[in-house]
Amino acid sequence: MRETYEGEYLSYLQDYLDRKVIFDSKAAERERAGVQDAMSAIDFAIRREMDAILYFTEVKHFVSEEQQDRIDRILKEEREHFSKLSDLKKTFEKKQ
């Protein structure tokens, strides 16, 4: 990706970080306070995994080609976490 002005991507990532709960400890604490049972804990964890997937998908555009394989490994792991949590949620839903 090419920047239209110097510092555009860094500015974009900073704006992204400023608005995400996963990186905002106060907002995350407020959301954690809403976790009342196993299902809400699973939902909370799924949202955090999705935030991480979205973040690293964006970051991948801003790193060198040599570093993209590292981001791909992180994304693979985050997707595995998401999948496991989704399966766990399905198991809980069947029991209810």
Side-chain angles (χ1 to χ4, degrees):
M1 294 182 81
R2 298 181 69 173
E3 291 183 314
T4 54
Y5 60 88
E6 188 174 337
E8 177 184 19
Y9 296 142
L10 182 58
S11 176
Y12 169 77
L13 283 179
Q14 187 61 54
D15 287 343
Y16 184 87
L17 287 172
D18 289 345
R19 289 169 177 73
K20 296 308 292 180
V21 171
I22 191 170
F23 301 112
D24 180 339
S25 61
K26 289 179 184 177
E29 187 57 41
R30 286 191 302 272
E31 189 174 353
R32 273 193 300 272
V35 173
Q36 302 296 320
D37 55 20
M39 188 62 79
S40 61
I42 293 168
D43 286 336
F44 174 82
I46 287 172
R47 286 190 300 276
R48 298 297 65 81
E49 294 300 335
M50 285 303 302
D51 284 342
I53 290 167
L54 290 171
Y55 175 74
F56 284 109
T57 298
E58 291 299 315
V59 166
K60 185 176 176 183
H61 297 288
F62 305 117
V63 300
S64 66
E65 286 188 32
E66 299 82 38
Q67 295 174 328
Q68 288 186 5
D69 64 320
R70 293 178 189 171
I71 301 297
D72 286 334
R73 287 193 305 265
I74 293 169
L75 282 166
K76 181 178 184 278
E77 188 165 326
E78 296 301 330
R79 288 180 181 120
E80 288 171 1
H81 296 163
F82 174 83
S83 181
K84 288 176 183 178
L85 287 164
S86 294
D87 289 344
L88 182 61
K89 182 176 180 174
K90 289 175 191 172
T91 299
F92 268 90
E93 289 172 339
K94 288 179 184 178
K95 291 180 179 182
Q96 293 180 348

